[in-house]
Amino acid sequence: RMVTAFVMTVVLLAGGVIAQQKRPQDVELQAAIRTETVDGDLNGAIKQYGAIVSTYKADRGVSATALVHMAACYQKLGDTQAHKIYERLLSEFGDQKEAAAEARTRLAALQSLAAFQTKQAVRQIWTGEGVTSDAFSVAGTS
């Protein structure tokens, strides 16, 4: 009985130690987030997120989270890739509720901004003698 109890204790302790070790994809994701947020290296973080998505395709949760962060980096850089990545997230990872919700929210914001920018128009507000096509000057004055 003593030997069995000892063996069981060792097995349980070993199982606890193994459970506490982090998975490599989680470690890499945290490193990429650190590169993005602490180091401020958005391009470096984009590369790391891309590698995570490529390497850990089977881990849909990690891949979706990496894509959300990657798209956010592109968005901060003003790159249109953000829109494409959010759409990819919704089409390929719609089952990942948190990531999909984040993608929907950010995609809606991007689309709203694009709609606002395309609705802006140039109007002529002053006509008459002495007005030039230069919006900031009137003929005869400098």
Side-chain angles (χ1 to χ4, degrees):
R1 288 185 181 176
M2 293 287 279
V3 173
T4 304
F6 179 75
V7 170
M8 291 297 285
T9 303
V10 170
V11 169
L12 288 174
L13 287 174
V17 169
I18 291 171
Q20 288 179 352
Q21 292 177 350
K22 294 193 177 212
R23 302 177 314 158
Q25 58 265 47
D26 295 330
V27 173
E28 289 180 39
L29 182 61
Q30 289 304 312
I33 291 170
R34 190 172 33 261
T35 300
E36 174 190 353
T37 57
V38 176
D39 300 342
D41 181 4
L42 299 177
N43 289 314
I46 288 169
K47 289 177 185 170
Q48 288 176 292
Y49 292 130
I52 291 166
V53 172
S54 297
T55 305
Y56 302 105
K57 293 176 187 173
D59 191 334
R60 296 179 58 73
V62 168
S63 293
T65 302
L67 285 172
V68 167
H69 282 278
M70 181 190 290
C73 288
Y74 278 120
Q75 193 172 353
K76 290 173 190 173
L77 291 170
D79 192 316
T80 58
Q81 278 293 111
H83 190 272
K84 294 175 186 173
I85 293 171
Y86 290 134
E87 286 180 341
R88 175 184 175 193
L89 245 161
L90 291 175
S91 68
E92 294 179 25
F93 296 91
D95 62 318
Q96 301 301 311
K97 293 186 186 325
E98 288 181 35
E102 184 73 21
R104 266 188 227 95
T105 301
R106 292 186 182 198
L107 190 57
L110 284 175
Q111 290 169 339
S112 176
L113 178 62
F116 173 75
Q117 290 173 338
T118 58
K119 288 183 181 178
Q120 290 181 355
V122 176
R123 292 183 285 152
Q124 184 173 7
I125 57 172
W126 184 12
T127 62
E129 192 174 318
V131 176
T132 68
S133 61
D134 184 0
F136 298 104
S137 68
V138 176
T141 62
S142 297

